[in-house]
Amino acid sequence: MRHTSLSRLILRILFVCAVVLAIPVAGLLLISAGPFEDVRRNAAEHFLSAALDVPVEVKGPVEIGFSLEPKVSVQDIVAVESRLPTDMTDFSIKAIDVEVPLLPLLTGHVDLSGLNVDSLKVAIDIPPGRNTERKGLEAIKAFVKNVVHSAVSSNFELRDTILDLTDQESGFTLRYGFDAIVSRAKDNGSIRVDAKGHLNDEPWKVVGDVEPLKDGTKRTFDFSIDHPGIAAEFAGDYTFGSVGDVVDFTAKAKSPALENILKIYEIKGKLDGTGDLSARVSGPLEALKLSDLMLKLSFESGDVYTVSG
């Protein structure tokens, strides 16, 4: 009798667990049905507007595919023009695909494990006197922190993206094109990053490797950048902290023709020479410190200028 009672108890527990898991699965199956397209679209608009910090509308379909990592596909995303930030003139995305692990989802946690973005278009007008460089650096630091803390960092793809920055005072437009940025995990736990694009019609390329996590807190990285007018390398460590993340890396850059930089940024003048730069960047993301700076400019005239600190 005791054995039978124990078996029944186990069967009941398993039945209850199956029911508990089946309810959210059934809910996902239900909202994926055709009649619930408006529900999916409204939910997508809400979450994307919050994540992007830009009010958006979803004009295309929202589809849900089922597997151990369900894929949600959202197409034709455009900003609500009347609610755009004052310096943003255009914002649209052709499609976003996100992968969400099923088991955390069933317990009420949404953790992205993959992200694909296709044809992101952003145009920003920079008003006179606006401290855009500082705000841009803050946005980059926040983006880096969010990405490295997410599983998306090992399964990310961005394609056919354009970022236009226009100086209202001069009318000069800096157009960054991202043909592809692909980040994929390797079997050994490391991450490979390959990116290419163009800056005002001049090609650029980034290649990098991020080693597997060490001691649960540190990742070592090594990136090379072939940017218009400049070739650069960055190598060092990114450490996850309970209070804040910390980086410590060295940067080396070389410009074989300084005049190419003037050409890209439409700066008038002659600058026949080369440039070499090395420096160390370290500290919390919120308070980075520059040290061991060495800048050398060599001109065809024979003049050489150095800056160190």
Side-chain angles (χ1 to χ4, degrees), residues 23 109 115 291 302:
I23 290 174
H109 298 284
L115 174 63
S291 60

Side-chain angles (χ1 to χ4, degrees), residues 6-305:
L6 180 59
S7 299
R8 287 180 178 177
L9 178 60
I10 293 174
L11 287 174
R12 287 174 181 173
I13 292 174
L14 291 175
F15 176 75
V16 170
C17 290
V19 170
V20 169
L21 293 176
I23 290 174
V25 171
L28 287 173
L29 289 170
L30 182 63
I31 65 172
S32 68
F36 288 88
E37 174 69 28
D38 288 341
V39 174
R40 298 196 299 272
R41 185 177 289 113
N42 290 336
E45 289 178 349
H46 171 76
F47 286 113
L48 286 173
S49 296
L52 298 170
D53 199 24
V54 175
V56 298
E57 294 177 335
V58 176
K59 302 292 187 180
V62 179
E63 301 173 344
I64 301 176
F66 288 96
S67 66
L68 288 177
E69 293 195 352
K71 179 179 289 187
V72 181
S73 177
V74 184
Q75 299 184 34
D76 198 5
I77 303 153
V78 297
V80 180
E81 291 189 15
S82 61
R83 298 172 60 191
L84 276 174
T86 55
D87 54 356
M88 186 177 292
T89 60
D90 187 29
F91 183 96
S92 65
I93 304 174
K94 182 179 179 181
I96 292 180
D97 294 333
V98 297
E99 295 178 16
V100 187
L102 183 59
L103 291 180
L105 185 63
L106 296 178
T107 62
H109 298 284
V110 180
D111 299 320
L112 301 186
S113 60
L115 174 63
N116 288 358
V117 181
D118 184 19
S119 297
L120 167 64
K121 312 294 182 187
V122 181
I124 297 175
D125 282 353
I126 305 172
R130 179 70 63 86
N131 194 354
T132 305
E133 293 82 0
R134 181 179 62 82
K135 292 185 177 181
L137 286 174
E138 291 176 354
I140 292 172
K141 288 189 288 186
F143 173 77
V144 169
K145 187 174 182 179
N146 288 335
V147 169
V148 298
H149 278 265
S150 170
V152 168
S153 61
S154 59
N155 187 11
F156 174 78
E157 191 168 323
L158 174 73
R159 293 192 179 276
D160 298 328
T161 289
I162 295 293
L163 171 61
D164 284 338
L165 300 174
T166 301
D167 188 298
Q168 289 185 353
E169 189 170 13
S170 66
F172 172 67
T173 296
L174 191 65
R175 166 163 283 201
Y176 264 105
F178 301 85
D179 299 335
I181 299 178
V182 180
S183 177
R184 293 283 186 261
K186 297 182 179 179
D187 293 338
N188 64 355
S190 64
I191 299 173
R192 172 72 174 186
V193 179
D194 292 281
K196 63 179 181 178
H198 54 274
L199 171 60
N200 284 15
D201 298 325
E202 294 291 334
W204 61 263
K205 182 174 67 173
V206 176
V207 175
D209 289 288
V210 182
E211 295 184 6
L213 193 64
K214 298 178 181 177
D215 302 323
T217 61
K218 182 184 292 186
R219 277 191 179 273
T220 299
F221 60 88
D222 187 352
F223 283 85
S224 64
I225 301 175
D226 188 2
H227 195 274
I230 299 175
E233 296 179 354
F234 299 87
D237 298 317
Y238 188 105
T239 304
F240 302 88
S242 56
V243 177
D245 295 352
V246 176
V247 296
D248 188 350
F249 67 90
T250 57
K252 296 180 180 180
K254 184 178 183 65
S255 176
L258 294 173
E259 192 148 347
N260 288 343
I261 300 177
L262 300 185
K263 178 182 176 182
I264 293 167
Y265 292 93
E266 295 185 3
I267 301 174
K268 295 181 179 180
K270 288 187 65 65
L271 200 60
D272 297 325
T274 63
D276 291 274
L277 171 71
S278 63
R280 178 185 178 189
V281 180
S282 60
L285 291 181
E286 294 77 13
L288 294 176
K289 177 183 176 183
L290 180 66
S291 60
D292 301 335
L293 173 66
M294 177 60 70
L295 172 63
K296 181 179 179 181
L297 301 177
S298 304
F299 298 98
E300 290 184 359
S301 62
D303 294 332
V304 177
Y305 298 91

